[in-house]
Amino acid sequence: MKNRITELFNIQFPIIQGGMIWCSGWELASAVSNAGGLGLIGSGSMYPEILRDHIQKCKNATSKPFGVNVPLLYPDIEQHLEIIVEEGVKIVFTSAGNPAKYTSWLKSHGITVVHVVANLKFAKKCEEAGVDAIVAEGFEAGGHNGREETTTMCLIPLIKANCTLPLIAAGGIGSGAAMAAAICLGAEAVQVGSKFAATHESSAHIAFKNEILNAGDGGTELTLKEITPVRLLKNEFYKEVQQAYSTNATKEELAQLLGRGRAKKGMFEGDLVHGELEIGQVSATITEVVSAKEVVDELMTNCIATLKTTALFF
Ligand code: NDP
Ligand code: NDP
């Protein structure tokens, strides 16, 4: 399959694995790249030398292209970026910040830059900043997300109509049929997170992976908009947050309740009660932990089958 995205990254299939804190280390990123998609190391949870280690392990585990996701709110961002350049990483996905700040610098080091947005205003900023492609992430997505609550179904056509950059759809994409829908809406690739969080190669704790399988319909909510909006599983920690809202907690009180390292506690250490369990709405459809290659194969096979069957209607 050839389009602007597969050519930009030199990959076989237009499937990108979302960079996810505590889930996407070198093992997952290299497995996705070896399966023909684009794997991303999620650097947000890594101290600088841990990131270097993951990049080096990824280079040893795959000869295919891979990238690093860099959340721009990360405290040691410049150290991360220096390591990325030193280690010769060729693809960077930036998120959670303004693309104007580092895009030119990254591109001057020969790096392809993609930025993640949740609204049209930021997509326009991406064009001005000179990024190579955009990930547009809808309300369904897990983890940190936009405040506007624009769904993938509405966001992709909106950005497609107003921007010329190659577009990668994210949020709610967990099947080949959903991938086909995203392509029909104008995306040239999909970015998939939740499905890959629940793979064997994900570095998430097994208890979190099993909890994803139990999520069910309505099992997640986008909350904590006053701090950084995040979609998570409705566990005990979530209930504590709701309780705080019911007593009109201030932003400071919410931040204090969240504390530090909640995501690590939940997703990496498997504390299902007190941890923050970031996952998307599509978790309701995930029924087993499989390999990353199985996810890529299912997406491609069913995407093509859906597009062919749909074409028969007309
Ligand atoms: P673990 O058995 O805890 O690691 C399990 C898997 O997670 C491995 O595949 C590992 O990669 C991967 N992994 C480790 N850190 C991260 C991360 N930040 N993001 C994504 N994937 C990651 O063994 P470790 O020796 O890795 O960790 C021991 C303990 O040290 C952890 O429980 C944690 O508390 C702490 N630690 C903290 C880190 C941080 O960034 N804050 C990073 C690493 C460890 P690999 O096989 O390459 O080790
Ligand atoms: P917290 O502030 O609650 O905790 C920081 C966590 O990140 C700790 O678990 C810590 O590991 C780990 N960590 C890794 N590198 C550093 C560092 N240089 N300084 C301090 N802590 C570090 O943050 P969250 O758990 O909510 O988020 C974790 C990371 O995810 C943040 O650093 C942020 O950059 C990133 N993030 C990404 C987003 C995105 O991709 N859209 C959005 C929001 C946050 P340890 O416990 O071992 O010290």
Side-chain angles (χ1 to χ4, degrees):
M1 191 168 185
K2 277 208 179 304
N3 65 23
R4 289 189 295 174
I5 293 288
T6 56
E7 294 194 345
L8 183 65
F9 302 134
N10 191 22
I11 54 175
Q12 197 180 350
F13 306 129
I15 297 170
I16 290 98
Q17 162 250 310
M20 298 170 284
I21 57 166
W22 302 115
C23 297
S24 54
W26 69 273
E27 222 179 321
L28 179 57
S30 60
V32 173
S33 290
N34 282 333
L38 182 73
L40 297 181
I41 295 173
S43 73
S45 53
M46 297 179 182
Y47 284 94
E49 285 313 310
I50 301 281
L51 172 61
R52 189 190 296 282
D53 186 44
H54 277 252
I55 293 171
Q56 290 176 350
K57 284 178 174 161
C58 204
K59 285 195 279 195
N60 286 334
T62 184
S63 55
K64 303 271 181 66
F66 71 91
V68 177
N69 168 237
V70 180
L72 296 175
L73 44 69
Y74 182 78
D76 293 323
I77 183 88
E78 297 198 350
Q79 266 175 283
H80 269 190
L81 296 177
E82 290 292 345
I83 287 169
I84 283 165
V85 169
E86 280 165 26
E87 293 295 331
V89 173
K90 288 285 165 239
I91 300 166
V92 166
F93 280 45
T94 52
S95 57
N98 191 331
K101 200 157 177 200
Y102 296 108
T103 299
S104 308
W105 184 83
L106 287 164
K107 287 184 71 85
S108 74
H109 287 88
I111 294 173
T112 298
V113 182
V114 180
H115 192 72
V116 184
V117 301
N119 59 43
L120 179 58
K121 186 175 152 203
F122 258 64
K124 289 280 183 196
K125 278 195 186 175
C126 288
E127 280 195 320
E128 284 161 26
V131 308
D132 297 290
I134 301 173
V135 175
E137 187 177 67
F139 176 59
E140 300 93 323
H144 294 281
N145 205 330
R147 287 186 171 77
E148 298 83 359
E149 304 200 353
T150 310
T151 60
T152 304
M153 185 69 107
C154 296
L155 187 63
I156 303 305
L158 181 66
I159 294 184
K160 182 73 187 171
N162 291 284
C163 294
T164 55
L165 284 170
L167 189 52
I168 300 164
I173 298 163
S175 66
M179 179 174 166
I183 288 169
C184 290
L185 291 175
E188 292 185 48
V190 291
Q191 178 173 286
V192 174
S194 299
K195 281 286 264 197
F196 285 120
T199 57
H200 299 301
E201 295 90 344
S202 153
S203 55
H205 195 282
I206 186 65
F208 174 46
K209 293 182 195 177
N210 287 332
E211 200 62 4
I212 296 171
L213 311 185
N214 294 329
D217 189 15
T220 71
E221 189 173 300
L222 184 81
T223 187
L224 289 171
K225 283 190 180 179
E226 297 78 0
I227 310 172
T228 33
V230 61
R231 179 175 295 286
L232 37 70
L233 284 178
K234 294 176 176 173
N235 66 347
E236 276 306 307
F237 166 62
Y238 161 82
K239 286 181 192 155
E240 281 177 45
V241 173
Q242 296 317 297
Q243 176 66 26
Y245 278 123
S246 73
T247 56
N248 299 319
T250 60
K251 186 177 166 184
E252 290 69 32
E253 284 166 339
L254 288 171
Q256 203 175 359
L257 171 62
L258 177 63
R260 187 176 176 280
R262 280 267 183 193
K264 178 182 181 183
K265 193 192 277 269
M267 299 193 281
F268 199 64
E269 295 171 352
D271 183 339
L272 303 180
V273 178
H274 302 294
E276 186 184 68
L277 306 172
E278 300 179 12
I279 204 76
Q281 286 186 341
V282 83
S283 54
T285 66
I286 301 177
T287 54
E288 60 179 326
V289 175
V290 296
S291 71
K293 182 171 172 12
E294 284 174 279
V295 173
V296 172
D297 289 348
E298 187 280 330
L299 285 168
M300 272 319 290
T301 307
N302 287 326
C303 175
I304 293 166
T306 304
L307 290 172
K308 280 186 181 160
T309 319
T310 312
L312 293 178
F313 284 142
F314 301 99

